[in-house]
Amino acid sequence: QITFGSIFLGNVPVHEEVHRCAGEIHGYKGCIRDFQVNHKELFIIDEALGGRNVENCNVPICDYHPCHNGGTCTSDAENWYCECPRLYTGKLCQFATCDENPCGNGATCFPKSKRDAVCLCPYGRSGILCSDAINITQPSFSGTDVFGYTSFLAYSTIPDIALYYEFCLKLQLANNHSALQDNLIFFTGQKGQGLNGDDFLELGIRNGRVVYSYNLGSGTATIISKPLDLTLSIHVIQLGRNLQKGWLKVDDQKNKTVTSPGRLVGLNVFSQFYLGGYREYTPELLPKGPRFKNGFQGCIFDVQVRTSINQRFKSPGIPEGHPNSGRSVGQCKDSPCSLIKCRNGGKCIESGSTVYCDCLTGWKGAFCTETVSVCEPEHDPPHLCKQGGTCVPLPNGYTCHCPLGTTGTYCEQG
């Protein structure tokens, strides 16, 4: 029986007007296991507002394998519950990956698949769930990961940079070809974005050369170094600007200079100072023209800046040398995979401080210890339940629980 605002199962309360005109009404006798309205499953007991004379059906609910995603069903005479593996929550372990963020310490949760997540660790954290603290003295950046995020550090805005600045820093490139192609070293901008006409300051590597660009609001000035000497293990970069004139010196190469176009002489930037990458998911907000598509790959250390020729060099950040935030930044030469053991043929993947197991087909979970159920989306071949039917695994194969209005082995019939 349905009334405005309520749904009654089994019978209606005796005081309802329906008893006066419908004669004698007998309530339903039997067991109700699943209750679904349209395509939304309602939990009969947990979500009920009230009831009377309802007893446990004494059907062992765990025999129906209600738990999803490898959850373990436990029941007694009165109740039952699902014990969920990590990264899964909900009464039936039905909430997967980032529906309810399992990552700790402010990490970025990214759904690696429909059933697994990767925790992209914030600055100072590492591990599968970013629960391990790490001390970073020489930051290691991993470029752009397979999910499209860059590793980065963000420092507070560098003050008094408008008319004069000098930077010096050291680099150690990752030993791969892509580390030389199109990679951002640092960036700061007027609004944190590289919109046309906005001031910005940017340093990166493209085609094995260091590229230094700035825009004071009347056009971009760019200096490109000679190709880097790859026999050197560490590269030293020095750059600066006084009003419109900029200069760049890389390793033992000769100093190169440029003068920015137009008449403007001040650099007005208010965003944070980004090192190694950028906060956004994609680089589309970085300056057009010299835009770098990927984050830096390797180690950046001994970053120093001064905004007056009479000042001492100091590290960015407030307090000095401390970033405001970061993502997937590790300690140079340390491998987080040394602490992770992936099972069943899984391969450990590291991206700065972020680490996860890439599982072989048929396995899932943080350490590739869980088998992929025949009912899960990753199973090959996929199950055949149609029209919103629920796949329920059996010891041999599976069955489809059909929503109201459908029938057939695979709920294929109306």
Side-chain angles (χ1 to χ4, degrees):
Q1 301 288 336
I2 300 177
T3 66
F4 290 109
S6 301
I7 299 177
F8 297 103
L9 282 183
N11 203 352
V12 296
V14 294
H15 64 272
E16 294 295 331
E17 289 294 326
V18 68
H19 275 231
R20 298 181 183 177
C21 60
E24 185 177 2
I25 294 180
H26 297 282
Y28 173 75
K29 294 182 179 180
C31 298
I32 299 176
R33 181 167 63 90
D34 294 324
F35 180 39
Q36 179 176 307
V37 178
N38 294 330
H39 293 293
K40 176 177 175 57
E41 179 183 7
L42 300 179
F43 297 110
I44 296 175
I45 300 300
D46 291 4
E47 298 190 40
L49 300 178
R52 183 172 59 245
N53 299 330
V54 177
E55 298 178 352
N56 190 9
C57 201
N58 292 323
V59 174
I61 190 67
C62 287
D63 289 353
Y64 292 99
H65 307 287
C67 306
H68 300 181
N69 302 310
T72 302
C73 183
T74 301
S75 65
D76 54 32
E78 298 296 328
N79 207 348
W80 63 276
Y81 66 94
C82 292
E83 183 177 347
C84 303
R86 277 187 171 183
L87 302 180
Y88 302 100
T89 59
K91 184 175 178 63
L92 302 179
C93 307
Q94 75 273 35
F95 296 121
T97 64
C98 298
D99 291 336
E100 294 186 10
N101 191 345
C103 306
N105 300 294
T108 300
C109 183
F110 190 88
K112 183 176 67 170
S113 69
K114 292 182 179 180
R115 293 290 180 248
D116 273 328
V118 170
C119 299
L120 308 181
C121 295
Y123 175 74
R125 292 284 172 173
S126 185
I128 292 287
L129 297 177
C130 304
S131 55
D132 303 327
I134 58 172
N135 182 35
I136 298 175
T137 57
Q138 293 186 343
S140 172
F141 301 88
S142 53
T144 305
D145 61 30
V146 295
F147 312 113
Y149 287 93
T150 61
S151 57
F152 75 90
L153 291 177
Y155 296 87
S156 55
T157 303
I158 299 174
D160 304 321
I161 200 173
L163 302 179
Y164 183 93
Y165 59 75
E166 287 183 75
F167 286 87
C168 59
L169 61 148
K170 296 178 181 178
L171 307 176
Q172 188 171 26
L173 294 168
N175 187 24
N176 57 64
H177 181 69
S178 62
L180 298 169
Q181 295 310 299
D182 198 3
N183 308 82
L184 180 70
I185 298 174
F186 69 62
F187 166 79
T188 183
Q190 189 165 13
K191 297 183 178 68
Q193 303 174 359
L195 302 178
N196 286 337
D198 277 1
D199 295 16
F200 68 83
L201 165 64
E202 187 177 47
L203 182 71
I205 294 178
R206 179 173 285 119
N207 298 325
R209 302 169 184 259
V210 176
V211 180
Y212 163 40
S213 296
Y214 58 92
N215 189 332
L216 308 180
S218 55
T220 299
T222 299
I223 304 176
I224 302 176
S225 76
K226 293 181 178 180
L228 291 170
D229 181 356
L230 300 183
T231 64
L232 299 175
S233 61
I234 294 178
H235 301 279
V236 179
I237 299 176
Q238 298 168 283
L239 60 96
R241 182 188 61 86
N242 182 22
L243 302 179
Q244 290 180 294
K245 185 177 180 180
W247 65 89
L248 171 69
K249 180 172 174 54
V250 177
D251 297 330
D252 293 328
Q253 298 179 16
K254 290 183 178 181
N255 192 58
K256 301 185 74 172
T257 63
V258 70
T259 299
S260 62
R263 295 184 177 183
L264 298 178
V265 298
L267 177 69
N268 300 301
V269 293
F270 310 112
S271 79
Q272 298 183 94
F273 178 74
Y274 293 98
L275 185 68
Y278 193 47
R279 171 190 62 214
E280 302 297 335
Y281 179 75
T282 66
E284 298 307 315
L285 295 179
L286 290 174
K288 295 182 179 179
R291 177 185 294 160
F292 294 94
K293 297 180 180 178
N294 300 302
F296 183 78
Q297 299 178 55
C299 302
I300 305 176
F301 47 94
D302 291 347
V303 181
Q304 301 284 308
V305 60
R306 69 180 180 182
T307 54
S308 169
I309 197 169
N310 298 317
Q311 281 184 348
R312 70 173 180 89
F313 279 95
K314 61 181 182 180
S315 300
I318 301 176
E320 183 179 344
H322 289 262
N324 294 337
S325 62
R327 178 176 59 221
S328 298
V329 175
Q331 170 69 1
C332 193
K333 298 182 180 179
D334 283 356
S335 170
C337 278
S338 63
L339 303 176
I340 300 298
K341 293 185 178 179
C342 304
R343 307 295 183 180
N344 301 303
K347 180 182 179 181
C348 182
I349 305 295
E350 60 183 66
S351 181
S353 62
T354 294
V355 60
Y356 63 94
C357 291
D358 189 21
C359 304
L360 293 178
T361 302
W363 295 95
K364 65 171 186 174
F367 299 98
C368 306
T369 55
E370 305 165 38
T371 57
V372 176
S373 163
V374 67
C375 288
E376 294 185 70
E378 294 91 340
H379 191 270
D380 188 14
H383 68 78
L384 300 177
C385 299
K386 309 294 184 183
Q387 305 189 77
T390 301
C391 177
V392 178
L394 300 174
N396 294 302
Y398 64 94
T399 186
C400 297
H401 283 184
C402 300
L404 297 176
T406 64
T407 186
T409 302
Y410 304 114
C411 312
E412 73 277 11
Q413 301 173 22

